[in-house]
Amino acid sequence: MTGLPHVAVLGMDAATAAATISLVDGGLAVTVYSPGHVPPAAHARLTAYGCADRVVAVSTDTLRLAAGSAAAPPFEVHGARADSQTSAASAAPAAAGAGAGDLLGVFDAVVLGDGTDRLGPGGPGSPRFSGVFDLAAAWVFHVGGSPELAGAQGRWIGEYLRGRYAPPEPAAMSARPALLGRSVRGGVRAELAELDRELRAGHARAARTGYRLPTQPAPAASTPTL
């Protein structure tokens, strides 16, 4: 990979819309795949930020993800394109064999929402660092919760992909499956405060290494479907 990575966001709701805006603000090339219709509120939010043209509607139940290996990029997004317009009209399920396996794009990183985390290699229960960095697959990330929190998660992912944030050692990541704010009183405020603390720590780690871009693991020769 040369330059900044290309990112696919799978799913379209208030959380993934907020994360998408943060990723775009970070200068990353982002394409969003919406299974079925594009929710009007999410579409309006993306339109307000000039990002609506990055959304591709995919027919219900056809969206699929494949990877260079069981746990590494590049990632292929497959599905049946429902509509060339990113409107709020519902997308009908594709007929059997009607392009359900079409290759829609190849990406360096994938962001999954609450409704699409089943598409990741580890499924909806995959181990994660602070609920965001998937530990079952390199360069797979998760966002969810309120738009405010998901927007902050998107900025965190973008900082990592741009080399501005370096995560802790793997053992330390495995020991923190969720932000501390999820297990204490304080709700979103506590989660955002914990995320901010981790970002500051990661910025310091990245500074010590000269803000190097993160390195992808080498993919295997075959490309199994996840």
Side-chain angles (χ1 to χ4, degrees):
M1 183 195 72
T2 58
L4 294 178
H6 290 186
V7 183
V9 176
L10 305 189
M12 178 44 54
D13 55 22
T16 51
T20 296
I21 291 166
S22 293
L23 291 165
V24 172
D25 280 348
L28 295 165
V30 182
T31 303
V32 184
Y33 294 96
S34 175
H37 71 281
V38 180
H43 185 258
R45 186 182 182 107
L46 290 171
T47 298
Y49 282 87
C51 302
D53 61 344
R54 298 172 185 265
V55 181
V56 177
V58 180
S59 292
T60 305
D61 298 328
T62 69
L63 186 62
R64 297 290 183 270
L65 183 65
S69 74
F75 298 100
E76 294 182 355
V77 177
H78 295 260
R81 189 184 292 262
D83 199 312
S84 60
Q85 303 297 318
T86 55
S87 70
S90 294
D102 289 351
L103 176 62
L104 300 177
V106 179
F107 299 89
D108 303 300
V110 173
V111 176
L112 302 174
D114 288 338
T116 54
D117 55 1
R118 59 182 174 77
L119 299 176
S126 62
R128 302 166 193 176
F129 168 52
S130 293
V132 175
F133 286 64
D134 199 309
L135 302 180
W139 291 45
V140 173
F141 307 93
H142 300 265
V143 298
S146 70
E148 185 178 13
L149 177 60
Q153 291 169 339
R155 286 190 292 275
W156 185 13
I157 296 165
E159 289 288 270
Y160 169 71
L161 294 176
R162 293 167 53 235
R164 303 290 300 175
Y165 165 86
E169 293 298 317
M173 294 175 72
S174 297
R176 290 176 56 188
L179 291 170
L180 294 181
R182 294 185 187 275
S183 59
V184 300
R185 295 183 182 273
V188 172
R189 293 289 97 194
E191 293 180 280
L192 289 171
E194 176 62 17
L195 191 156
D196 186 60
R197 282 191 289 271
E198 176 54 35
L199 264 177
R200 290 198 300 271
H203 285 157
R205 291 189 292 265
R208 290 195 291 269
T209 62
Y211 297 107
R212 293 196 301 264
L213 288 174
T215 303
Q216 291 182 345
S222 59
T223 305
T225 299
L226 302 179

